[in-house]
Amino acid sequence: MKLSPWFLIVLTLAVFGLAMAPQLIVAAPREVTMGLVQKIFYYHVPVAWLTFSGAFVCAGGSAAFLFRNSERGDRIALAAAELTVLFGLCVLVTGPLWARKAWGSYWKWEDVRLTTTLILWFIFLAYLFTRKYGGPGARKLAAALALFGAADVPLIYLSVQFWRTIHPKTTVVSTLGPGMRGPFWLALVSFTLLFFVLLELRLRLEAARVARDELVLAVEDWEDAQ
Amino acid sequence: MKVMMFVLLLLLGGGTALAAADKEGFEPVNGDMMARGESVPAPRLVAGAYGFIFGALLLYVATVVLRTRRLEEEMQELKRRIEKKSV
């Protein structure tokens, strides 16, 4: 597998950032009310941000495929959907672990942000199932699902403003203390770089799959001609 | 198909467990239980959260590498078939 210099630079920065972040997080001051468990925040928010980003990238690729017939858009959408499910799972696991200590329970169904995030995860899981088992026409159906899923993202983000919830408000990042900002932004940037690395790796896999399919067709044509 | 059956069984299993929990009803609370309920150690939760994220990422990268390797092997096999036939 040939790797471009840009890919290697981004990969190095992501690995370096992810190796540094835990040290800064350990050294960061403890939050007064929640104590140690608040440290989940430093990874929980970046993975949530990437879940939303993945949903938007998938929707963008799906829109390009639906309206412009872009095969590359379709490949980007599939790669991003996998990452949305991966990072979404991380959000849905780390959030309840934090909530157990902070709220006294792993899950509260009445919390709109939790419920809409779970719905988002199921939509993108449905996208992947549709792609794998949907048969002919599944790619277009899945693309429509992705657009539907991305529409859920603003609802998740703004839900804490519109409904009564125990989740922190959207302004929580701007209220972080000075010792907390560094580790948070380092983790956010490192995870974002990692997202691009994973997206590129997954796109390469999809490109290889297309090449394999073309080769299979060429071999079959050639054998028929013989 | 196997994966879908597995997910279906998982969901059915979860539903059965919930129904069983309902039948058991409430338990009277005593001081000992409260202490047990509230003594979830934060370090374990934090380690669980960070461990899960890194574990999930490593697993994902491993599946991508495996899938890529399998495709490359398939392509090598196809190329061998072409070369063999053209000789």
Side-chain angles (χ1 to χ4, degrees):
Chain A
M1 187 189 282
K2 246 179 133 181
L3 302 172
S4 71
W6 278 113
F7 179 83
L8 289 173
I9 290 170
V10 175
L11 176 66
T12 310
L13 286 174
V15 171
F16 181 73
L18 288 172
M20 285 292 293
Q23 297 169 45
L24 293 182
I25 290 167
V26 169
R30 283 196 189 186
E31 202 268 339
V32 180
T33 322
M34 287 180 277
L36 182 67
V37 81
Q38 183 269 344
K39 291 195 187 276
I40 292 178
F41 164 86
Y42 295 103
Y43 274 19
H44 177 73
V45 174
V47 290
W49 148 250
L50 293 178
T51 306
F52 298 162
S53 305
F56 280 133
V57 172
C58 180
S62 297
F65 174 64
L66 274 180
F67 305 121
R68 291 189 180 177
N69 237 358
S70 165
E71 288 295 327
R72 182 167 162 74
D74 184 51
R75 289 202 293 271
I76 290 173
L78 179 58
E82 271 193 17
L83 294 179
T84 306
V85 170
L86 171 72
F87 286 110
L89 185 64
C90 292
V91 174
L92 290 169
V93 170
T94 55
L97 288 175
W98 182 6
R100 177 64 189 87
K101 193 75 180 170
W103 304 340
S105 113
Y106 287 109
W107 192 271
K108 290 200 182 290
W109 285 105
E110 62 271 26
D111 189 287
V112 181
R113 185 171 264 189
L114 295 185
T115 314
T116 46
T117 305
L118 183 65
I119 291 170
L120 179 80
W121 190 74
F122 273 122
I123 290 172
F124 282 91
L125 194 64
Y127 175 99
L128 294 179
F129 273 96
T130 308
R131 292 290 302 241
K132 192 155 177 67
Y133 303 108
R139 290 200 300 167
K140 293 213 163 175
L141 182 64
L145 255 179
L147 295 181
F148 184 65
D152 187 27
V153 174
L155 185 69
I156 298 171
Y157 184 71
L158 295 171
S159 61
V160 288
Q161 314 287 10
F162 296 142
W163 286 280
R164 273 181 62 188
T165 174
I166 37 181
H167 240 98
K169 298 278 178 203
T170 49
T171 51
V172 69
V173 173
S174 59
T175 61
L176 286 176
M180 295 172 168
R181 279 185 208 148
F184 170 73
W185 286 109
L186 180 66
L188 189 88
V189 171
S190 307
F191 268 106
T192 307
L193 293 175
L194 182 72
F195 178 86
F196 285 110
V197 167
L198 294 177
L199 191 70
E200 174 63 20
L201 277 179
R202 187 61 185 80
L203 280 172
R204 281 165 184 262
L205 171 63
E206 213 45 41
R209 199 189 301 277
V210 171
R212 190 270 318 262
D213 290 347
E214 282 171 0
L215 202 59
V216 168
L217 284 175
V219 169
E220 282 173 2
D221 284 350
W222 191 75
E223 283 176 347
D224 287 345
Q226 291 290 303
Chain B
M1 198 59 202
K2 274 181 191 169
V3 177
M4 288 183 84
M5 286 298 288
F6 175 73
V7 172
L8 194 66
L9 283 173
L10 212 65
L11 290 173
L12 287 174
T16 317
L18 280 177
D22 273 350
K23 275 179 205 161
E24 285 165 12
F26 294 107
E27 272 185 82
V29 175
N30 59 46
D32 184 42
M33 281 174 68
M34 287 297 283
R36 254 190 294 148
E38 294 308 316
S39 64
V40 181
R44 200 185 296 169
L45 295 171
V46 175
Y50 280 62
F52 183 84
I53 290 176
F54 281 114
L57 287 174
L58 281 176
L59 199 68
Y60 181 72
V61 170
T63 66
V64 172
V65 169
L66 277 177
R67 285 185 282 176
T68 307
R69 202 172 288 168
R70 203 179 306 149
L71 269 177
E72 282 170 355
E73 281 170 9
E74 275 181 47
M75 285 174 74
Q76 288 299 326
E77 177 59 31
L78 283 167
K79 280 176 188 164
R80 265 200 299 272
R81 266 173 67 186
I82 294 172
E83 279 168 14
K84 211 170 154 185
K85 297 247 178 181
S86 56
V87 170

